[in-house]
Amino acid sequence: MVNIVLLGPPGSGKGTQAEMIGSEYGWPQISTGNILRHAIEEGSDLGKKAKSYMDEGELVPDDLVDEIVKQRLGKPDCEGGYLLDGFPRDVHQAKALDSFSKIKLVIDIQVPDEQIISRLSGRRVCDCGQTYHIQFNPPKGEGVCDLCGKKLIHREDDQPDTISHRLEVYHRKTEPLIEFYRGHGVLEVVDGTKHIDDIFEAIKSKIDKL
Ligand code: AMP
């Protein structure tokens, strides 16, 4: 079982890499951010509880998120391995994860704050999962997705004030996980400022060594 956690600040490319690795190796990609956004769209109880935290760039309370992940990892498609993107986000969640699954590899995708701010403020996303950047990777049509034609979204939490808050939360709560997982002997670091394909190759080489 190859259970992998992708760590890194918001906008470091965890989601993009998780999708690439998932399709290469056939593992499900589990993004707590996506699960929570879908819950908000559906108007479920979970969505109602999560929305205000997410809009403010705060973490959703651990007990809500831990349970979602525990249930998701219990599904049959996770039996051969999985990729976690956006979970764990703090040491409490990492300990919860340890109690119900065994992590083989943690990849920390490192990107400096200045680049994160530029990436997130220009990010536009589509419901279909495709991501664009208004400057570096703009869609061909004005504000619509090249793949499915839907209107692109500027996420509420990708607004400038919320971005700095999310980064502050990342440094305070999530970054300590780097040392936590280094201590467990499962941490590998990759340079997230490189080209997407080079980062993918770097991650693949870590996986193939397992
Ligand atoms: P992301 O798409 O991973 O950037 O997550 C967007 C937002 O969803 C975060 O800013 C949090 O509000 C919430 N979120 C996602 N994953 C978690 C998690 N593991 N724990 C708590 N909140 C989360």
Side-chain angles (χ1 to χ4, degrees), residues 56-59 89 164-176:
E56 296 293 316
E58 287 291 339
L59 294 186
R89 275 296 226 281
S164 10
H165 187 57
R166 286 165 73 202
L167 267 174
E168 187 269 315
V169 170
Y170 167 76
H171 288 302
R172 187 161 40 90
K173 296 194 164 170
T174 311
E175 212 167 41

Side-chain angles (χ1 to χ4, degrees), residues 32-33 36-37 54 58 60 65 86-87 89 93 155 166:
T32 41
L36 293 166
R37 278 185 289 277
M54 292 177 73
E58 287 291 339
V60 172
V65 186
F87 184 93
R89 275 296 226 281
Q93 292 181 4
R155 275 170 49 174
R166 286 165 73 202

Side-chain angles (χ1 to χ4, degrees), residues 62-79:
D62 289 336
D63 51 339
L64 288 179
V65 186
D66 292 356
E67 192 51 37
I68 301 173
V69 175
K70 186 175 178 186
Q71 300 216 348
R72 180 64 188 86
L73 299 188
K75 299 239 163 97
D77 64 335
C78 292
E79 276 167 14

Side-chain angles (χ1 to χ4, degrees), residues 59 62 66 87-98 172-181 184:
L59 294 186
D62 289 336
D66 292 356
F87 184 93
R89 275 296 226 281
D90 60 22
V91 172
H92 172 100
Q93 292 181 4
K95 288 183 176 163
L97 177 61
D98 267 355
R172 187 161 40 90
K173 296 194 164 170
T174 311
E175 212 167 41
L177 290 179
I178 297 175
E179 286 315 311
F180 177 89
Y181 283 121
H184 283 52

Side-chain angles (χ1 to χ4, degrees), residues 81-133:
Y82 59 75
L83 293 154
L84 275 173
D85 155 21
F87 184 93
R89 275 296 226 281
D90 60 22
V91 172
H92 172 100
Q93 292 181 4
K95 288 183 176 163
L97 177 61
D98 267 355
S99 73
F100 51 76
S101 197
K102 176 136 181 58
I103 298 302
K104 267 269 182 68
L105 176 66
V106 176
I107 310 246
D108 180 39
I109 307 181
Q110 297 198 333
V111 179
D113 284 7
E114 314 80 74
Q115 254 196 57
I116 292 295
I117 293 167
S118 141
R119 286 186 188 188
L120 290 182
S121 51
R123 179 161 78 171
R124 299 293 180 273
V125 296
C126 179
D127 270 351
C128 75
Q130 192 67 8
T131 303
Y132 301 87
H133 189 283

